Amino acid sequence: MKFKNTSRFVSPLSVLLFIGFTAFISYPESQSSAPNPGENLTIPDDVNAILEKSCFGCHNVDAQSDKAKKKLLLDELPNLSKAKIVAKLDDIHSVVEENEMPPEKFLNKYPDKALTKEEASRLKEWAKTTAEEMMGN
């Protein structure tokens, strides 16, 4: 059997295993509540600037596109569980890698929102390393 080569760095199986594994983690009884789900999510200023320029306009709770909001809500990302954050970071990496975001139709209207090669590279690097760090925690 030959498998299709994909650019995804975190396989769906690894995400499912991670979700299953985290379900068995228990917290000490002295701890009154579980930690903030996205407490380990760090968005550096340079990455935040890229997201603000090219992504946030469509991927926020107040955006007009229900399709874009369903795919990713950047302002809600830190509130997700670690497993869901890892999956969203994987999606971010993939769509940037495949040059699917921002979409061509959008860029026809707003060419200044296009990602430069450097911005795309930085966004992919951040998504990949952050997901890997979260999987290790």
Side-chain angles (χ1 to χ4, degrees), residues 9-25:
F9 59 90
V10 179
S11 72
L13 177 60
S14 65
V15 171
L16 289 175
L17 291 173
F18 180 70
I19 292 169
F21 175 75
T22 58
F24 294 102
I25 295 175

Side-chain angles (χ1 to χ4, degrees), residues 43-60:
I43 303 176
D45 290 342
D46 64 329
V47 172
N48 196 45
I50 296 167
L51 293 171
E52 182 69 34
K53 172 194 152 207
S54 299
C55 310
F56 191 75
C58 296
H59 294 283
N60 74 81

Side-chain angles (χ1 to χ4, degrees), residues 29-102:
E29 289 183 33
S30 63
Q31 189 172 351
S32 61
S33 64
N36 181 6
E39 72 181 17
N40 292 327
L41 179 65
T42 302
I43 303 176
D45 290 342
D46 64 329
V47 172
N48 196 45
I50 296 167
L51 293 171
E52 182 69 34
K53 172 194 152 207
S54 299
C55 310
F56 191 75
C58 296
H59 294 283
N60 74 81
V61 294
D62 296 324
Q64 293 180 2
S65 172
D66 289 334
K67 183 178 177 182
K69 290 192 293 189
K70 186 176 180 179
K71 288 283 187 182
L72 174 65
L73 287 174
L74 289 169
D75 39 1
E76 294 292 327
L77 192 60
N79 300 325
L80 299 176
S81 69
K82 282 186 182 183
K84 287 182 180 181
I85 292 171
V86 168
K88 294 296 183 182
L89 292 170
D90 181 42
D91 289 343
I92 290 168
H93 184 276
S94 296
V95 298
V96 173
E97 178 74 23
E98 298 297 323
N99 202 29
E100 294 173 353
M101 286 287 144

